[in-house]
C-alpha cells in the first residue's frame, strides 16, 4: 500500500473540509487585495496520477498507462457473477483508485466492456461485472457493485495496486440505478456515475458521494424527465454533482465507445477519486459542445 504522510487528510475528510478551505482561501485572496501577504498556491494532490491532461488526452481511446486484464470466474467470487479486471501494469506512481461498473437489465458485462481499458489506461483499476441474474433490479446491482469493490480490495490479485479509500461505481441503465443505490448505502465512495440510469426510486437526497448523472435526450427506456433529471435535482444542493445530457442520443449511447461519456467520466473520476484538480478545467465552467444537450453543475467544486 502507498504510504501517505500523516498530515495529509484522507479522501473522506477531504470532502468534508474542502468547502471550508475554499471559503478560507477566498478570505486570504481578499486580504491580498487589501495589502495582505499573497496566498500560496495549493499543493498537488498526493493521489495525482499520470501526465498533465489535455483535451486530446481525455478524448483518446487510450491513456498514458500500459494495461493488462484478467478474468474473474463466477465460481471464484460471491456477491456477483464474476467479471473482467483491467489495471495499469506499472505501480511506479503508487496505488490507484478503483471503479466497479455494472451492465443494465438483461445485459452482460460486454455492454460496458469498452470502458474497462479506456479508464484503466488513465490510471484506475476497473472491474466490469456480470450480475447474478440478468434480471436483477437496481438495488441488487448496487449491492453487487459493492461486492465487486470488496473483492478487488480484499481478495483479488491486484489488491495491492488499489487504494481502498479511493473507490467509485458506475453503471448503465439499471446498473446506473445500481450505482445510485451503492452510493446511497456506502457514503465512503469517492464518485458515482449513473449512465442513462433507470431506477423506480427518484429521491436521492441521502447521497453524499460526488455524482455525475449522464442522461440521453432521446432515451425512451429511461426518459430524462422521469429518471436522470429527477435523480440529479434530488441530490443535495451542497453536493458536488453534475448533470450531462447527451444530445440526440438514445438509451444505449453509453454501451459503445462514446467520446463524450468517456472524457467527462474520466474527468469526474480524476477530480474526485484522485482529487486531481488538473481536471477541474474540463468540468468548470460548464462544458459546451455539439454532443451536449444540457449541462448543470454545482461549480466550483469543493
Amino acid at each position: 500500500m502507498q504510504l501517505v504522510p500523516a498530515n495529509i487528510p484522507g479522501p473522506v475528510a477531504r470532502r468534508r473540509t474542502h468547502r471550508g478551505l475554499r471559503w478560507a482561501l477566498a478570505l486570504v485572496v481578499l486580504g491580498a487585495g487589501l495589502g495582505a501577504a499573497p496566498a500560496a498556491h495549493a499543493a498537488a494532490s498526493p493521489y495525482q496520477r499520470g501526465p498533465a491532461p489535455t483535451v486530446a488526452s481525455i478524448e483518446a481511446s487510450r491513456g498514458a498507462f500500459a494495461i493488462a486484464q484478467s478474468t474473474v470466474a463466477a465460481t471464484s467470487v460471491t456477491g456477483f457473477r464474476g467479471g473482467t479486471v483491467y489495471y495499469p501494469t506499472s505501480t511506479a506512481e503508487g496505488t490507484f483508485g478503483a471503479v466497479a461498473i455494472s451492465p443494465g437489465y438483461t445485459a452482460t458485462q460486454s455492454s460496458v466492456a469498452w470502458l474497462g481499458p479506456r479508464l484503466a489506461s488513465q490510471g484506475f483499476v476497473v472491474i466490469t461485472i456480470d450480475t447474478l441474474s440478468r434480471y436483477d433490479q437496481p438495488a441488487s446491482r448496487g449491492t453487487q457493485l459493492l461486492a465487486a469493490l470488496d473483492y478487488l480490495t480484499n481478495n483479488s490479485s491486484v489488491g495491492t495496486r488499489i487504494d481502498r479509500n479511493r473507490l467509485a461505481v458506475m453503471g448503465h441503465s439499471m446498473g446506473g440505478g445500481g450505482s445510485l443505490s451503492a452510493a446511497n448505502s456506502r457514503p465512503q465512495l469517492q464518485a458515482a456515475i449513473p449512465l442513462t440510469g433507470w431506477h423506480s426510486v427518484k429521491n436521492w437526497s441521502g447521497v453524499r458521494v460526488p455524482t455525475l448523472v449522464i442522461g440521453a435526450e432521446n432515451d425512451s427506456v429511461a426518459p430524462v424527465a422521469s429518471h436522470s433529471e429527477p435523480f440529479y435535482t434530488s441530490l443535495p444542493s451542497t453536493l458536488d454533482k453534475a448533470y450531462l445530457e447527451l444530445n440526440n442520443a438514445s438509451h444505449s449511447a453509453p454501451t459503445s465507445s462514446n467520446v463524450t461519456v468517456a472524457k467527462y467520466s474520466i474527468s469526474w473520476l480524476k477530480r474526485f477519486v484522485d482529487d486531481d484538480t488538473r481536471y477541474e478545467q474540463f468540468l468548470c465552467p460548464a462544458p459546451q459542445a455539439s454532443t451536449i444537450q444540457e449541462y448543470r453543475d454545482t461549480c466550483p467544486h469543493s
Side-chain angles (χ1 to χ4, degrees), residues 110-135:
S110 63
S111 66
V112 291
W114 72 276
L115 285 162
R118 193 106 174 205
L119 299 180
S121 65
Q122 294 285 348
F124 297 98
V125 175
V126 182
I127 183 168
T128 57
I129 69 169
D130 282 317
T131 50
L132 296 172
S133 165
R134 292 190 182 190
Y135 308 103

mmCIF file of all heavy atoms in Angstrom, residues 110-135:
data_model
loop_
_atom_site.group_PDB
_atom_site.id
_atom_site.type_symbol
_atom_site.label_atom_id
_atom_site.label_comp_id
_atom_site.label_asym_id
_atom_site.label_seq_id
_atom_site.Cartn_x
_atom_site.Cartn_y
_atom_site.Cartn_z
ATOM 1 N N SER A 110 -20.305 -7.316 -21.380
ATOM 2 C CA SER A 110 -19.837 -6.915 -22.709
ATOM 3 C C SER A 110 -20.393 -5.552 -23.115
ATOM 4 O O SER A 110 -19.777 -4.832 -23.900
ATOM 5 C CB SER A 110 -20.228 -7.969 -23.754
ATOM 6 O OG SER A 110 -21.634 -8.087 -23.863
ATOM 7 N N SER A 111 -21.549 -5.174 -22.557
ATOM 8 C CA SER A 111 -22.175 -3.899 -22.928
ATOM 9 C C SER A 111 -21.441 -2.691 -22.345
ATOM 10 O O SER A 111 -21.631 -1.571 -22.812
ATOM 11 C CB SER A 111 -23.638 -3.878 -22.488
ATOM 12 O OG SER A 111 -23.740 -3.895 -21.072
ATOM 13 N N VAL A 112 -20.628 -2.915 -21.320
ATOM 14 C CA VAL A 112 -19.856 -1.811 -20.732
ATOM 15 C C VAL A 112 -18.351 -2.079 -20.822
ATOM 16 O O VAL A 112 -17.551 -1.338 -20.246
ATOM 17 C CB VAL A 112 -20.258 -1.568 -19.258
ATOM 18 C CG1 VAL A 112 -21.674 -1.004 -19.186
ATOM 19 C CG2 VAL A 112 -20.155 -2.849 -18.431
ATOM 20 N N ALA A 113 -17.976 -3.133 -21.564
ATOM 21 C CA ALA A 113 -16.573 -3.550 -21.621
ATOM 22 C C ALA A 113 -15.654 -2.469 -22.187
ATOM 23 O O ALA A 113 -14.472 -2.397 -21.813
ATOM 24 C CB ALA A 113 -16.445 -4.828 -22.444
ATOM 25 N N TRP A 114 -16.161 -1.622 -23.083
ATOM 26 C CA TRP A 114 -15.305 -0.610 -23.690
ATOM 27 C C TRP A 114 -14.737 0.364 -22.658
ATOM 28 O O TRP A 114 -13.653 0.929 -22.843
ATOM 29 C CB TRP A 114 -16.066 0.164 -24.767
ATOM 30 C CG TRP A 114 -17.108 1.109 -24.266
ATOM 31 C CD1 TRP A 114 -18.397 0.815 -23.923
ATOM 32 C CD2 TRP A 114 -16.961 2.526 -24.048
ATOM 33 N NE1 TRP A 114 -19.070 1.956 -23.503
ATOM 34 C CE2 TRP A 114 -18.202 3.013 -23.576
ATOM 35 C CE3 TRP A 114 -15.904 3.412 -24.212
ATOM 36 C CZ2 TRP A 114 -18.426 4.352 -23.261
ATOM 37 C CZ3 TRP A 114 -16.105 4.759 -23.895
ATOM 38 C CH2 TRP A 114 -17.364 5.209 -23.436
ATOM 39 N N LEU A 115 -15.455 0.526 -21.530
ATOM 40 C CA LEU A 115 -14.991 1.448 -20.500
ATOM 41 C C LEU A 115 -13.809 0.902 -19.713
ATOM 42 O O LEU A 115 -13.039 1.671 -19.137
ATOM 43 C CB LEU A 115 -16.141 1.769 -19.532
ATOM 44 C CG LEU A 115 -17.210 2.728 -20.052
ATOM 45 C CD1 LEU A 115 -18.477 2.619 -19.213
ATOM 46 C CD2 LEU A 115 -16.673 4.165 -20.062
ATOM 47 N N GLY A 116 -13.645 -0.435 -19.690
ATOM 48 C CA GLY A 116 -12.577 -1.033 -18.908
ATOM 49 C C GLY A 116 -11.197 -0.539 -19.291
ATOM 50 O O GLY A 116 -10.505 0.120 -18.493
ATOM 51 N N PRO A 117 -10.745 -0.807 -20.515
ATOM 52 C CA PRO A 117 -9.414 -0.331 -20.918
ATOM 53 C C PRO A 117 -9.327 1.189 -21.029
ATOM 54 O O PRO A 117 -8.265 1.776 -20.797
ATOM 55 C CB PRO A 117 -9.189 -1.010 -22.267
ATOM 56 C CG PRO A 117 -10.552 -1.401 -22.752
ATOM 57 C CD PRO A 117 -11.363 -1.675 -21.532
ATOM 58 N N ARG A 118 -10.435 1.814 -21.372
ATOM 59 C CA ARG A 118 -10.428 3.283 -21.516
ATOM 60 C C ARG A 118 -10.089 3.954 -20.177
ATOM 61 O O ARG A 118 -9.261 4.861 -20.107
ATOM 62 C CB ARG A 118 -11.801 3.751 -22.006
ATOM 63 C CG ARG A 118 -11.845 5.194 -22.491
ATOM 64 C CD ARG A 118 -11.935 5.224 -23.983
ATOM 65 N NE ARG A 118 -12.114 6.559 -24.522
ATOM 66 C CZ ARG A 118 -12.683 6.814 -25.689
ATOM 67 N NH1 ARG A 118 -13.149 5.824 -26.430
ATOM 68 N NH2 ARG A 118 -12.785 8.044 -26.139
ATOM 69 N N LEU A 119 -10.734 3.494 -19.106
ATOM 70 C CA LEU A 119 -10.500 4.087 -17.794
ATOM 71 C C LEU A 119 -9.195 3.594 -17.177
ATOM 72 O O LEU A 119 -8.454 4.375 -16.570
ATOM 73 C CB LEU A 119 -11.669 3.772 -16.860
ATOM 74 C CG LEU A 119 -13.042 4.296 -17.275
ATOM 75 C CD1 LEU A 119 -14.095 3.892 -16.242
ATOM 76 C CD2 LEU A 119 -13.035 5.813 -17.456
ATOM 77 N N ALA A 120 -8.906 2.306 -17.326
ATOM 78 C CA ALA A 120 -7.694 1.751 -16.727
ATOM 79 C C ALA A 120 -6.446 2.429 -17.277
ATOM 80 O O ALA A 120 -5.490 2.704 -16.535
ATOM 81 C CB ALA A 120 -7.634 0.253 -16.965
ATOM 82 N N SER A 121 -6.444 2.724 -18.568
ATOM 83 C CA SER A 121 -5.267 3.344 -19.181
ATOM 84 C C SER A 121 -5.087 4.801 -18.757
ATOM 85 O O SER A 121 -4.068 5.416 -19.050
ATOM 86 C CB SER A 121 -5.348 3.246 -20.712
ATOM 87 O OG SER A 121 -6.442 3.987 -21.222
ATOM 88 N N GLN A 122 -6.081 5.341 -18.062
ATOM 89 C CA GLN A 122 -5.960 6.686 -17.493
ATOM 90 C C GLN A 122 -5.485 6.646 -16.040
ATOM 91 O O GLN A 122 -5.286 7.687 -15.421
ATOM 92 C CB GLN A 122 -7.305 7.415 -17.578
ATOM 93 C CG GLN A 122 -7.779 7.708 -18.982
ATOM 94 C CD GLN A 122 -7.029 8.844 -19.653
ATOM 95 O OE1 GLN A 122 -6.289 9.586 -19.011
ATOM 96 N NE2 GLN A 122 -7.212 8.998 -20.962
ATOM 97 N N GLY A 123 -5.322 5.429 -15.488
ATOM 98 C CA GLY A 123 -4.795 5.322 -14.134
ATOM 99 C C GLY A 123 -5.789 4.865 -13.093
ATOM 100 O O GLY A 123 -5.809 5.397 -11.974
ATOM 101 N N PHE A 124 -6.611 3.864 -13.431
ATOM 102 C CA PHE A 124 -7.555 3.280 -12.481
ATOM 103 C C PHE A 124 -7.529 1.765 -12.619
ATOM 104 O O PHE A 124 -7.231 1.239 -13.697
ATOM 105 C CB PHE A 124 -8.989 3.765 -12.735
ATOM 106 C CG PHE A 124 -9.177 5.252 -12.565
ATOM 107 C CD1 PHE A 124 -9.177 6.105 -13.668
ATOM 108 C CD2 PHE A 124 -9.339 5.806 -11.301
ATOM 109 C CE1 PHE A 124 -9.339 7.471 -13.518
ATOM 110 C CE2 PHE A 124 -9.495 7.174 -11.140
ATOM 111 C CZ PHE A 124 -9.501 8.006 -12.247
ATOM 112 N N VAL A 125 -7.866 1.067 -11.543
ATOM 113 C CA VAL A 125 -8.173 -0.355 -11.633
ATOM 114 C C VAL A 125 -9.677 -0.459 -11.832
ATOM 115 O O VAL A 125 -10.451 0.139 -11.088
ATOM 116 C CB VAL A 125 -7.751 -1.110 -10.359
ATOM 117 C CG1 VAL A 125 -8.189 -2.575 -10.432
ATOM 118 C CG2 VAL A 125 -6.245 -1.015 -10.164
ATOM 119 N N VAL A 126 -10.094 -1.189 -12.853
ATOM 120 C CA VAL A 126 -11.505 -1.234 -13.245
ATOM 121 C C VAL A 126 -11.986 -2.677 -13.292
ATOM 122 O O VAL A 126 -11.291 -3.548 -13.815
ATOM 123 C CB VAL A 126 -11.717 -0.588 -14.635
ATOM 124 C CG1 VAL A 126 -13.203 -0.596 -15.014
ATOM 125 C CG2 VAL A 126 -11.168 0.838 -14.652
ATOM 126 N N ILE A 127 -13.187 -2.927 -12.751
ATOM 127 C CA ILE A 127 -13.812 -4.226 -12.916
ATOM 128 C C ILE A 127 -15.188 -4.044 -13.543
ATOM 129 O O ILE A 127 -16.007 -3.276 -13.050
ATOM 130 C CB ILE A 127 -13.914 -5.012 -11.589
ATOM 131 C CG1 ILE A 127 -14.519 -6.402 -11.845
ATOM 132 C CG2 ILE A 127 -14.667 -4.237 -10.518
ATOM 133 C CD1 ILE A 127 -14.403 -7.351 -10.671
ATOM 134 N N THR A 128 -15.409 -4.688 -14.672
ATOM 135 C CA THR A 128 -16.745 -4.740 -15.269
ATOM 136 C C THR A 128 -17.341 -6.074 -14.857
ATOM 137 O O THR A 128 -16.695 -7.117 -14.977
ATOM 138 C CB THR A 128 -16.669 -4.635 -16.804
ATOM 139 O OG1 THR A 128 -15.841 -5.688 -17.328
ATOM 140 C CG2 THR A 128 -16.095 -3.295 -17.228
ATOM 141 N N ILE A 129 -18.569 -6.051 -14.354
ATOM 142 C CA ILE A 129 -19.116 -7.256 -13.748
ATOM 143 C C ILE A 129 -20.290 -7.830 -14.547
ATOM 144 O O ILE A 129 -20.964 -7.129 -15.301
ATOM 145 C CB ILE A 129 -19.593 -6.994 -12.305
ATOM 146 C CG1 ILE A 129 -20.843 -6.079 -12.274
ATOM 147 C CG2 ILE A 129 -18.472 -6.401 -11.463
ATOM 148 C CD1 ILE A 129 -21.520 -6.001 -10.916
ATOM 149 N N ASP A 130 -20.489 -9.122 -14.370
ATOM 150 C CA ASP A 130 -21.746 -9.760 -14.716
ATOM 151 C C ASP A 130 -22.562 -9.874 -13.439
ATOM 152 O O ASP A 130 -21.990 -10.124 -12.354
ATOM 153 C CB ASP A 130 -21.516 -11.150 -15.316
ATOM 154 C CG ASP A 130 -21.086 -11.089 -16.772
ATOM 155 O OD1 ASP A 130 -21.683 -10.285 -17.528
ATOM 156 O OD2 ASP A 130 -20.162 -11.833 -17.158
ATOM 157 N N THR A 131 -23.845 -9.679 -13.536
ATOM 158 C CA THR A 131 -24.700 -9.736 -12.358
ATOM 159 C C THR A 131 -25.192 -11.157 -12.110
ATOM 160 O O THR A 131 -25.159 -12.009 -12.998
ATOM 161 C CB THR A 131 -25.890 -8.775 -12.505
ATOM 162 O OG1 THR A 131 -26.530 -8.997 -13.770
ATOM 163 C CG2 THR A 131 -25.403 -7.326 -12.465
ATOM 164 N N LEU A 132 -25.649 -11.408 -10.901
ATOM 165 C CA LEU A 132 -26.102 -12.748 -10.524
ATOM 166 C C LEU A 132 -27.200 -13.241 -11.449
ATOM 167 O O LEU A 132 -27.265 -14.418 -11.787
ATOM 168 C CB LEU A 132 -26.570 -12.744 -9.069
ATOM 169 C CG LEU A 132 -25.470 -12.440 -8.038
ATOM 170 C CD1 LEU A 132 -26.072 -12.277 -6.655
ATOM 171 C CD2 LEU A 132 -24.408 -13.527 -8.052
ATOM 172 N N SER A 133 -28.080 -12.325 -11.844
ATOM 173 C CA SER A 133 -29.116 -12.614 -12.837
ATOM 174 C C SER A 133 -29.208 -11.438 -13.779
ATOM 175 O O SER A 133 -29.042 -10.285 -13.364
ATOM 176 C CB SER A 133 -30.474 -12.840 -12.158
ATOM 177 O OG SER A 133 -31.525 -12.770 -13.109
ATOM 178 N N ARG A 134 -29.464 -11.703 -15.036
ATOM 179 C CA ARG A 134 -29.624 -10.603 -15.992
ATOM 180 C C ARG A 134 -30.845 -9.753 -15.672
ATOM 181 O O ARG A 134 -30.981 -8.644 -16.178
ATOM 182 C CB ARG A 134 -29.741 -11.153 -17.415
ATOM 183 C CG ARG A 134 -28.458 -11.801 -17.937
ATOM 184 C CD ARG A 134 -28.578 -12.104 -19.422
ATOM 185 N NE ARG A 134 -27.388 -12.772 -19.933
ATOM 186 C CZ ARG A 134 -27.160 -12.981 -21.214
ATOM 187 N NH1 ARG A 134 -28.042 -12.574 -22.123
ATOM 188 N NH2 ARG A 134 -26.064 -13.610 -21.612
ATOM 189 N N TYR A 135 -31.714 -10.270 -14.814
ATOM 190 C CA TYR A 135 -32.967 -9.574 -14.498
ATOM 191 C C TYR A 135 -32.914 -8.877 -13.136
ATOM 192 O O TYR A 135 -33.920 -8.383 -12.658
ATOM 193 C CB TYR A 135 -34.128 -10.565 -14.549
ATOM 194 C CG TYR A 135 -34.161 -11.344 -15.837
ATOM 195 C CD1 TYR A 135 -33.712 -12.663 -15.895
ATOM 196 C CD2 TYR A 135 -34.595 -10.743 -17.017
ATOM 197 C CE1 TYR A 135 -33.704 -13.362 -17.097
ATOM 198 C CE2 TYR A 135 -34.592 -11.443 -18.216
ATOM 199 C CZ TYR A 135 -34.141 -12.754 -18.244
ATOM 200 O OH TYR A 135 -34.131 -13.446 -19.431
#
